[in-house]
Amino acid sequence: MRMLLLVIAIAWMVAGVSIFVNPTGFHDHIPGLKMMGPYNEHFIRDVGLAFLASGGATAWGAYRGRPGVVIAGLAWPLLHAGFHLQVWAHRGFPLDHIFAFDVLAVIVPPGLALLAILRLQKIRSLEWR
């Protein structure tokens, strides 16, 4: 479970750096993003930094055995996933390429990470030591 958390956290950190370094590429290639409004470099770079911070906290918490830090790291990705579910509902629940991308890249990873931390806490109580 800790390895799953680390893999997801590293993916978020890589995504965060990639988004921060290439905000135009992110805007141009993410399905459905252009539907959300015009290009905004500041906002997109903020998203990159949020992924980097969330990934860093999740990785650190998983590595050091600190469930509270993992939960803090999961806060933004879980809220982000909830927002994407709300956008999907607003779009009328289409089963299209935008939703497929959202499920694979935005919704499943924090969901798996949450299940992993809950499983670890159940196995090892509140502390992992």
Side-chain angles (χ1 to χ4, degrees), residues 47-116:
V47 169
L49 293 173
F51 270 115
L52 184 59
S54 293
T58 301
W60 180 256
Y63 177 75
R64 300 291 295 169
R66 302 285 190 239
V69 177
V70 172
I71 297 291
L74 294 180
W76 187 81
L78 286 168
L79 291 170
H80 184 226
F83 173 65
H84 277 250
L85 287 170
Q86 183 271 325
V87 169
W88 181 52
H90 181 73
R91 293 178 52 233
F93 302 104
L95 298 176
D96 57 8
H97 70 287
I98 296 170
F99 179 67
F101 176 85
D102 281 355
V103 166
L104 294 174
V106 179
I107 297 165
V108 168
L112 285 175
L114 180 61
L115 290 174

Side-chain angles (χ1 to χ4, degrees), residues 29-52:
H29 294 100
I30 298 301
L33 189 56
K34 290 182 180 181
M35 294 171 35
M36 301 303 291
Y39 175 77
N40 182 329
E41 184 173 333
H42 180 106
F43 176 74
I44 292 172
R45 286 180 185 240
D46 281 349
V47 169
L49 293 173
F51 270 115
L52 184 59

